[in-house]
């Protein structure tokens, strides 16, 4: 098992995929069909390619999104410069610097000043709504890809892997653990390192009895721990890397839980939370469907 | 949520997540709130916002610079034409020129502000008029695929600013939402599906490789089937990379069309999640290949399985021979 290691990936521990003979058959078919692929013709259906309007590049939104800090302070500079320009104009033209509305010149000056002040204030408002940039904290631990049991049906495995790929590419998720019916059926991503150097396995029994799990089950809704270091129940999640920043606990019906660890404080946005809620419901439905016969998802002998 | 009122004009406080509160609860075209409590919202965003507000409900102060720009600009013009006793001096002309350009800048400020990070949308969203809500699926798909399509379309409609979604995977359609169908409510599904199929063929989306995002739909009638009032359009292709004879080919397996009645409806994160959902349909394809289909149309490619399956097969080898990099 401990073969050569590539730089950047520490692959240790009991990492296995368990497959039924189903996939072995596919392997053989794949080898056999490779020859047929070379001989067969391409897709006979000729699809008309899209000739409609292509979206043109929007310069302004792109520029604003890319130069966020410049765009935020732009109104302040514009307003300040105009303020100075109005005063200089008055001075240069030999008009007394008195702010009265008697002459049309003064009125025009006042209006211009008012506009400059509006611009400055808008710039200040924009500066204050700048989201704090939070840095990513790389989780300390060991890469882990573990699926339990040799009898999980393929659609379920595919769905679990899809969930992991989606979460890891879209959000700041770095580790994913799915516990259902007293067993850990998935542990993927970065896991804490156990004393013997392998990935720390999830003690599902201990987790299920802990207060974190009970609390989530009782409320029945998602729990978002935006800053894990402030949370006292941290000790009940020893399998997560020690410097995991944020955790989302999503219940799967009343039998399971999904634990998602992120690498940024408050890294999961509200949109992410909403999507994860729906994801949890889908996983719950799929797992329930595929274990409806009552086959327990216990860990079998490793392949 | 602490707030300190200093007079009616300035409210300094920690704002909770600025979800649009002036939208009435419409069945489809809303953003899901998720389930966090207000304390969680406060922890998440933790952004102190200096908001200039009159405190009048329903009045959006984001557009205040625009109104000030229009108001002061018109006052400047009034001053120029009606306020001067003698002829205007060059100094006054300079000031007025500066004032007018500042007014134009103020008018444009809310438009720029919309694209900043952390900007909130408070657009009023009205459901399209005169179009009916439909939900049809091709009859020739398996039950598990029906569930996938139903769940996918439901999630897309609920979680994004979408009013209409069309999913087409390998010719099978799932259409949900408000579409501009020239059939009455109550016609059978088959003609509706055929009509959509013809529309799609006319547009030619079968070979799409890139994501098409129109944040502002050009022209009033981009495609006939889109509902009235469509302002944004997003088309995400479902691609599968095939490793045939050494060349990696990317084949289009289908696409997902999302229409919204808000401009700039899909943020970067929305699009990322929508791509993830589109990937789900691709994964579904590879897990449940239908034997009679792939021998007929697509050749034996599908038997090799999709990327997820390939990775799994690869891992069997790697775990037994050497610990090679899994990804």
């Amino acid at each position: 098992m401990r073969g050569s290691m590539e730089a950047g990936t520490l692959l240790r521990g009991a990492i296995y995929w368990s497959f039924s003979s189903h996939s072995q058959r596919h392997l053989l078919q794949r080898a056999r069909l490779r020859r047929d692929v070379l001989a067969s013709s391409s897709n006979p259906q000729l699809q008309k390619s899209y000739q409609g309007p292509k979206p043109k590049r929007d310069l302004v939104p792109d520029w604003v999104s890319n130069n966020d800090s410049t765009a935020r302070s732009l109104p302040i500079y514009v307003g300040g410069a105009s303020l100075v320009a109005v005063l200089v104009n008055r001075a240069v033209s030999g008009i007394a610097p008195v702010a009265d509305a008697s002459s049309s010149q003064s009125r025009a000056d006042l209006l211009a000043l008012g506009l400059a002040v509006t611009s400055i204030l808008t710039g200040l408002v924009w500066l204050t709504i700048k989201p704090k940039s939070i840095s990513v904290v790389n989780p300390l631990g060991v890469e882990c890809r573990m699926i339990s049991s040799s009898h999980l049906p393929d659609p379920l495995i595919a769905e679990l892997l899809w969930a992991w790929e989606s979460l890891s590419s879209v959000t700041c998720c770095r580790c994913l653990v799915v516990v259902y019916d007293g067993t850990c059926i998935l542990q993927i991503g970065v896991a804490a390192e156990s004393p013997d150097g392998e990935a720390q396995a999830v003690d599902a029994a201990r987790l299920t009895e802990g207060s974190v799990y009970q609390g989530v089950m009782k409320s029945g809704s998602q729990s978002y721990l935006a800053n894990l270091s402030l949370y006292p129940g941290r000790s009940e999640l020893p399998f997560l890397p020690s410097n995991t920043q944020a955790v989302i606990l999503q219940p799967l019906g009343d039998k399971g839980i999904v634990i998602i660890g992120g690498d940024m404080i408050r890294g999961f946005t509200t949109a992410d939370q909403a999507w994860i809620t729906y994801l949890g419901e889908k996983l719950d439905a799929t797992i329930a469907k595929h274990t409806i016969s009552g086959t327990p998802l216990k860990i079998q002998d490793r392949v | 949520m602490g707030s300190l009122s200093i007079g009616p004009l300035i409210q300094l406080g920690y704002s909770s997540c600025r979800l649009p509160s002036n939208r009435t609860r419409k069945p489809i075209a809303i953003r899901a709130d998720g389930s966090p409590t207000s304390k969680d919202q406060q922890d998440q965003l933790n952004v102190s916002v200096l908001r200039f507000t009159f405190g009048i409900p329903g009045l959006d102060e984001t557009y205040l610079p625009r109104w000030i720009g229009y108001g002061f600009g018109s006052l400047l013009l009034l001053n120029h034409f009606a306020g001067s006793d003698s002829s205007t001096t060059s100094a006054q002309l300079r000031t007025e020129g500066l004032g007018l350009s500042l007014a134009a800048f103020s008018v444009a400020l809310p438009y720029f502000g919309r694209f900043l990070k952390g900007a909130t949308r408070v657009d009023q969203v009205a459901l399209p008029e005169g179009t009916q809500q439909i939900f049809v699926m091709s009859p020739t798909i398996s039950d598990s695929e029906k569930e996938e399509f139903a769940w996918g379309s439901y999630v897309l409609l609920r979680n994004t600013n979408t009013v209409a979604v069309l999913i087409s995977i390998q010719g099978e359609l799932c259409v949900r939402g408000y579409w501009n169908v020239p059939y009455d409510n109550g016609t059978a599904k088959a003609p509706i599906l055929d009509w959509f199929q013809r529309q799609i063929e006319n547009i030619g989306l079968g070979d799409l490789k890139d994501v098409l995002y129109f944040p502002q739909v050009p022209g009033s009638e981009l495609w006939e089937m889109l509902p009235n009032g469509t302002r944004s359009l997003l088309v995400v292709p479902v691609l599968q990379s095939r490793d045939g004879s050494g060349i990696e080919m990317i084949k289009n397996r289908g696409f997902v069309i999302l229409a919204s009645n808000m401009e700039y409806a899909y943020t970067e994160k929305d699009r990322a999640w929508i791509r993830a959902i589109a990937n789900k349909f691709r994964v579904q394809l590879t897990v449940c290949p239908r034997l009679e289909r792939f021998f007929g149309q697509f050749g034996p490619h599908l038997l090799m399985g999709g990327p997820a399956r390939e990775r799994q097969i690869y891992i069997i080898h790697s775990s037994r021979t050497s610990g090679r990099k899994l990804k």
Side-chain angles (χ1 to χ4, degrees), chain A residues 161-172:
Chain A
L161 289 178
W162 166 79
W164 160 244
E165 278 172 33
S166 306
L167 284 169
S168 58
S169 61
V170 180
T171 67
C172 68

PDB file of all heavy atoms in Angstrom, chain A residues 161-172:
ATOM      1  N   LEU A 161     -19.561  11.070  -4.837  1.00  0.00           N
ATOM      2  CA  LEU A 161     -18.384  11.683  -5.443  1.00  0.00           C
ATOM      3  C   LEU A 161     -18.727  12.993  -6.127  1.00  0.00           C
ATOM      4  O   LEU A 161     -17.967  13.958  -6.092  1.00  0.00           O
ATOM      5  CB  LEU A 161     -17.760  10.718  -6.458  1.00  0.00           C
ATOM      6  CG  LEU A 161     -17.075   9.523  -5.831  1.00  0.00           C
ATOM      7  CD1 LEU A 161     -16.550   8.611  -6.918  1.00  0.00           C
ATOM      8  CD2 LEU A 161     -15.941   9.966  -4.945  1.00  0.00           C
ATOM      9  N   TRP A 162     -19.915  13.007  -6.751  1.00  0.00           N
ATOM     10  CA  TRP A 162     -20.327  14.266  -7.366  1.00  0.00           C
ATOM     11  C   TRP A 162     -20.471  15.350  -6.316  1.00  0.00           C
ATOM     12  O   TRP A 162     -20.057  16.499  -6.506  1.00  0.00           O
ATOM     13  CB  TRP A 162     -21.653  14.073  -8.104  1.00  0.00           C
ATOM     14  CG  TRP A 162     -22.284  15.370  -8.450  1.00  0.00           C
ATOM     15  CD1 TRP A 162     -21.950  16.194  -9.490  1.00  0.00           C
ATOM     16  CD2 TRP A 162     -23.328  16.026  -7.738  1.00  0.00           C
ATOM     17  NE1 TRP A 162     -22.731  17.329  -9.464  1.00  0.00           N
ATOM     18  CE2 TRP A 162     -23.586  17.246  -8.399  1.00  0.00           C
ATOM     19  CE3 TRP A 162     -24.076  15.711  -6.603  1.00  0.00           C
ATOM     20  CZ2 TRP A 162     -24.569  18.139  -7.965  1.00  0.00           C
ATOM     21  CZ3 TRP A 162     -25.047  16.597  -6.172  1.00  0.00           C
ATOM     22  CH2 TRP A 162     -25.281  17.796  -6.857  1.00  0.00           C
ATOM     23  N   ALA A 163     -21.065  14.980  -5.156  1.00  0.00           N
ATOM     24  CA  ALA A 163     -21.230  15.978  -4.095  1.00  0.00           C
ATOM     25  C   ALA A 163     -19.875  16.515  -3.658  1.00  0.00           C
ATOM     26  O   ALA A 163     -19.691  17.718  -3.482  1.00  0.00           O
ATOM     27  CB  ALA A 163     -21.976  15.355  -2.911  1.00  0.00           C
ATOM     28  N   TRP A 164     -18.895  15.615  -3.510  1.00  0.00           N
ATOM     29  CA  TRP A 164     -17.566  16.060  -3.094  1.00  0.00           C
ATOM     30  C   TRP A 164     -16.948  16.974  -4.136  1.00  0.00           C
ATOM     31  O   TRP A 164     -16.387  18.022  -3.830  1.00  0.00           O
ATOM     32  CB  TRP A 164     -16.678  14.855  -2.824  1.00  0.00           C
ATOM     33  CG  TRP A 164     -15.221  15.153  -2.850  1.00  0.00           C
ATOM     34  CD1 TRP A 164     -14.294  14.673  -3.723  1.00  0.00           C
ATOM     35  CD2 TRP A 164     -14.507  16.018  -1.961  1.00  0.00           C
ATOM     36  NE1 TRP A 164     -13.050  15.184  -3.434  1.00  0.00           N
ATOM     37  CE2 TRP A 164     -13.153  16.010  -2.360  1.00  0.00           C
ATOM     38  CE3 TRP A 164     -14.866  16.816  -0.869  1.00  0.00           C
ATOM     39  CZ2 TRP A 164     -12.163  16.760  -1.713  1.00  0.00           C
ATOM     40  CZ3 TRP A 164     -13.888  17.541  -0.221  1.00  0.00           C
ATOM     41  CH2 TRP A 164     -12.554  17.512  -0.647  1.00  0.00           C
ATOM     42  N   GLU A 165     -17.058  16.590  -5.420  1.00  0.00           N
ATOM     43  CA  GLU A 165     -16.451  17.422  -6.461  1.00  0.00           C
ATOM     44  C   GLU A 165     -17.101  18.786  -6.523  1.00  0.00           C
ATOM     45  O   GLU A 165     -16.420  19.803  -6.666  1.00  0.00           O
ATOM     46  CB  GLU A 165     -16.599  16.737  -7.824  1.00  0.00           C
ATOM     47  CG  GLU A 165     -15.559  15.692  -8.086  1.00  0.00           C
ATOM     48  CD  GLU A 165     -15.877  14.917  -9.345  1.00  0.00           C
ATOM     49  OE1 GLU A 165     -16.451  15.520 -10.269  1.00  0.00           O
ATOM     50  OE2 GLU A 165     -15.578  13.714  -9.372  1.00  0.00           O
ATOM     51  N   SER A 166     -18.423  18.808  -6.413  1.00  0.00           N
ATOM     52  CA  SER A 166     -19.102  20.102  -6.467  1.00  0.00           C
ATOM     53  C   SER A 166     -18.671  20.975  -5.307  1.00  0.00           C
ATOM     54  O   SER A 166     -18.294  22.136  -5.486  1.00  0.00           O
ATOM     55  CB  SER A 166     -20.613  19.921  -6.393  1.00  0.00           C
ATOM     56  OG  SER A 166     -21.048  19.049  -7.366  1.00  0.00           O
ATOM     57  N   LEU A 167     -18.715  20.404  -4.099  1.00  0.00           N
ATOM     58  CA  LEU A 167     -18.402  21.215  -2.928  1.00  0.00           C
ATOM     59  C   LEU A 167     -16.959  21.699  -2.975  1.00  0.00           C
ATOM     60  O   LEU A 167     -16.674  22.849  -2.662  1.00  0.00           O
ATOM     61  CB  LEU A 167     -18.646  20.410  -1.657  1.00  0.00           C
ATOM     62  CG  LEU A 167     -20.104  20.241  -1.281  1.00  0.00           C
ATOM     63  CD1 LEU A 167     -20.235  19.224  -0.172  1.00  0.00           C
ATOM     64  CD2 LEU A 167     -20.684  21.564  -0.826  1.00  0.00           C
ATOM     65  N   SER A 168     -16.045  20.811  -3.365  1.00  0.00           N
ATOM     66  CA  SER A 168     -14.654  21.236  -3.301  1.00  0.00           C
ATOM     67  C   SER A 168     -14.325  22.240  -4.384  1.00  0.00           C
ATOM     68  O   SER A 168     -13.426  23.053  -4.224  1.00  0.00           O
ATOM     69  CB  SER A 168     -13.717  20.034  -3.393  1.00  0.00           C
ATOM     70  OG  SER A 168     -13.953  19.332  -4.576  1.00  0.00           O
ATOM     71  N   SER A 169     -15.056  22.227  -5.520  1.00  0.00           N
ATOM     72  CA  SER A 169     -14.711  23.185  -6.562  1.00  0.00           C
ATOM     73  C   SER A 169     -15.454  24.502  -6.403  1.00  0.00           C
ATOM     74  O   SER A 169     -14.960  25.538  -6.801  1.00  0.00           O
ATOM     75  CB  SER A 169     -14.997  22.592  -7.943  1.00  0.00           C
ATOM     76  OG  SER A 169     -16.364  22.286  -8.064  1.00  0.00           O
ATOM     77  N   VAL A 170     -16.650  24.466  -5.811  1.00  0.00           N
ATOM     78  CA  VAL A 170     -17.427  25.705  -5.751  1.00  0.00           C
ATOM     79  C   VAL A 170     -17.223  26.440  -4.422  1.00  0.00           C
ATOM     80  O   VAL A 170     -17.153  27.661  -4.388  1.00  0.00           O
ATOM     81  CB  VAL A 170     -18.926  25.409  -5.959  1.00  0.00           C
ATOM     82  CG1 VAL A 170     -19.730  26.669  -5.901  1.00  0.00           C
ATOM     83  CG2 VAL A 170     -19.145  24.698  -7.270  1.00  0.00           C
ATOM     84  N   THR A 171     -17.153  25.685  -3.348  1.00  0.00           N
ATOM     85  CA  THR A 171     -17.039  26.358  -2.056  1.00  0.00           C
ATOM     86  C   THR A 171     -15.632  26.182  -1.513  1.00  0.00           C
ATOM     87  O   THR A 171     -14.761  25.638  -2.171  1.00  0.00           O
ATOM     88  CB  THR A 171     -18.029  25.767  -1.051  1.00  0.00           C
ATOM     89  OG1 THR A 171     -17.637  24.422  -0.774  1.00  0.00           O
ATOM     90  CG2 THR A 171     -19.435  25.757  -1.598  1.00  0.00           C
ATOM     91  N   CYS A 172     -15.447  26.625  -0.283  1.00  0.00           N
ATOM     92  CA  CYS A 172     -14.135  26.483   0.321  1.00  0.00           C
ATOM     93  C   CYS A 172     -14.025  25.172   1.081  1.00  0.00           C
ATOM     94  O   CYS A 172     -13.211  25.065   1.980  1.00  0.00           O
ATOM     95  CB  CYS A 172     -13.872  27.659   1.255  1.00  0.00           C
ATOM     96  SG  CYS A 172     -14.926  27.641   2.708  1.00  0.00           S
TER      97      CYS A 172
END
